[in-house]
């Protein structure tokens, strides 16, 4: 059973952060996958509603945390999406740079180097 309210709330937040084009493309790609829309629904309800719609942290702070974590994990495709999202959430290039520097110190220089590489591509 799915929670339609959680899905709608999560979808609205996901579109605000990542943009309509990105979200529409994710759903379109999923529609041609044998895994279908179930995965997109799960991500939308659990990530974008349960985590991103929690108002205890401002959206910009949440973006910076996400950037730091994705850089540390080396998840460059998701990092690029969330760098664009950080810009949508009002994060500045200085804030993103500080977050990536923090990731480099705690997760290792290769994570920082790759994070800054992706950020430079996205920010241009």
């Amino acid at each position: 059973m799915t929670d339609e309210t959680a899905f709608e709330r999560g979808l609205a937040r996901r579109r605000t952060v990542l943009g309509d084009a990105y979200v529409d493309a994710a759903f379109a790609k999923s529609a041609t996958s044998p895994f279908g829309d179930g995965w997109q629904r799960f991500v939308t309800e659990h990530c974008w509603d349960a985590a991103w719609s929690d108002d205890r942290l401002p959206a910009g702070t949440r973006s910076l945390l996400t950037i730091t974590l994705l850089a540390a994990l080396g998840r460059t495709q998701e990092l690029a999406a969330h760098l664009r999202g950080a810009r949508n959430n009002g994060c500045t290039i200085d804030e993103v740079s500080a977050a990536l520097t923090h990731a480099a110190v705690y997760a290792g220089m290769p994570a920082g180097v790759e994070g800054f590489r992706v950020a430079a591509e996205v920010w241009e």
Side-chain angles (χ1 to χ4, degrees), residues 17 63-64 67 81-92 96 123:
V17 174
S63 282
L64 295 171
I67 286 167
H82 281 279
L83 284 160
R84 288 187 287 279
R87 196 167 30 201
N88 292 342
N89 281 333
C91 294
T92 67
V96 169
W123 220 266

Side-chain angles (χ1 to χ4, degrees), residues 16-85:
T16 297
V17 174
L18 298 178
D20 290 333
Y22 182 91
V23 175
D24 291 344
F27 275 92
K29 185 173 183 179
S30 181
T32 63
S33 164
F35 299 103
D37 286 335
W39 177 244
Q40 289 301 321
R41 191 168 197 68
F42 181 87
V43 168
T44 301
E45 290 174 357
H46 296 278
C47 176
W48 292 100
D49 179 48
W52 275 88
S53 292
D54 174 352
D55 291 328
R56 292 180 292 172
L57 289 174
T61 300
R62 200 170 297 277
S63 282
L64 295 171
L65 287 168
T66 303
I67 286 167
T68 303
L69 289 164
L70 291 172
L73 293 168
R75 304 296 194 256
T76 56
Q77 186 172 359
E78 287 294 310
L79 175 59
H82 281 279
L83 284 160
R84 288 187 287 279

